[in-house]
Amino acid sequence: MKKNHAVYLSALLMVWISLLVFPLLDSLSAAECQLIRIFGEKGAAGNQISIEPGEVTIPRDTCVVWINWVQWSKARIIFREDAQACRSAIQSPSGFTEKDSFYTTSFMPRGGTSSLTFVGKGKFRYKVEVPDLSRGSLDLPPGQIVAEGTLVVD
């Protein structure tokens, strides 16, 4: 009988510890990564894209993941104005490539992701571009639909 009682108390103690520890672990991991979603909308006024959140403040050592949810097109992220500052403030790029005057991803398909970990402070402006095939014609190349976002790293 005492053996069953000890097993019962041990199991109850394990459940109690799990209930205390797991919420703490979840809040710690949630602070380490920021998800930015790219959405697209087709409408009578033309195709549009949006970034959610459009402006975000994050602490240093935070991973930022962009995910393309545009159903009808691929999307890419470009850091032009702040490319040099961005290069020196990040590590662990996934899907990004350094060019002469900018930092960019290739065009990501729907559901595709790219990420950067920001280790330095600063304000970084970027653009998301989606090819607008509806504006192209036989004589003109397709245009770009652009949304702008800002990352502030404290």
Side-chain angles (χ1 to χ4, degrees), residues 13-75:
L13 182 63
M14 297 268 297
V15 168
W16 184 74
I17 290 172
S18 297
L19 291 173
L20 289 175
V21 171
F22 286 136
L24 294 175
L25 293 176
D26 188 41
S27 65
L28 290 175
S29 63
E32 296 173 1
C33 196
Q34 172 68 48
L35 182 63
I36 298 178
R37 295 170 186 87
I38 305 164
F39 292 102
E41 184 177 309
K42 286 186 170 188
N47 299 337
Q48 297 179 8
I49 60 171
S50 63
I51 305 168
E52 292 180 17
E55 183 168 332
V56 65
T57 300
I58 58 173
R60 289 186 313 171
D61 297 322
T62 298
C63 171
V64 177
V65 178
W66 287 266
I67 185 166
N68 178 18
W69 284 126
V70 179
Q71 291 184 340
W72 41 269
S73 185
K74 296 178 179 183

